[in-house]
Amino acid sequence: MNVLVADDDEDIRFVVSALLSRRGWSVTTTTSGEETLATLRGASFDVLVLDQNMPPGSGLEVADDLRARGDQTPIVLFTGFSATLDRARTESAGVVVMEKTDVTTLADEVAALGGV
């Protein structure tokens, strides 16, 4: 399975990438919403794991852009600020919201979304 992990925090990218790679999955990382969208123009992924706060371009902005183009790739919005999110917006974007404190269950959620 091919997974894209987008987060502006190098430590989070490293931990999540290592966690998902241990399952034998191919992991690509990006550091911003803009970089994520540019990467997605040239490649496809089975699941996206996006940080909400990674300027420029938040995880929800990336999700909104993809959905507007008809892209239905499963998305996990992996954030430390889920309490501040607009739930109507996350539901309309069709994203799964997970707290970064739930890192131990992230791989299982990615597997479920990716059909593995």
Side-chain angles (χ1 to χ4, degrees):
M1 179 162 54
N2 292 319
V3 182
L4 182 137
V5 174
D7 201 300
D8 60 332
D9 184 308
E10 181 178 3
D11 294 332
I12 298 291
R13 282 192 317 273
F14 175 80
V15 168
V16 172
S17 181
L19 177 75
L20 300 179
S21 294
R22 288 178 62 185
R23 296 248 180 144
W25 300 335
S26 174
V27 179
T28 299
T29 61
T30 58
T31 62
S32 72
E34 287 181 353
E35 183 183 0
T36 300
L37 289 171
T39 299
L40 291 170
R41 285 185 197 99
S44 63
F45 296 89
D46 299 303
V47 178
L48 310 177
V49 178
L50 308 177
D51 180 27
Q52 172 55 18
N53 297 314
M54 54 170 181
S58 72
L60 269 177
E61 290 170 339
V62 170
D64 288 342
D65 184 274
L66 294 175
R67 299 306 188 236
R69 292 190 273 147
D71 186 326
Q72 294 302 311
T73 302
I75 297 172
V76 174
L77 192 62
F78 196 53
T79 181
F81 303 99
S82 67
T84 64
L85 292 174
D86 178 342
R87 290 301 174 169
R89 186 171 173 202
T90 59
E91 287 177 21
S92 71
V95 300
V96 173
V97 178
M98 290 188 72
E99 280 286 336
K100 287 185 177 177
T101 56
D102 295 332
V103 69
T104 57
T105 60
L106 177 63
D108 290 336
E109 185 67 38
V110 169
L113 291 170
V116 176

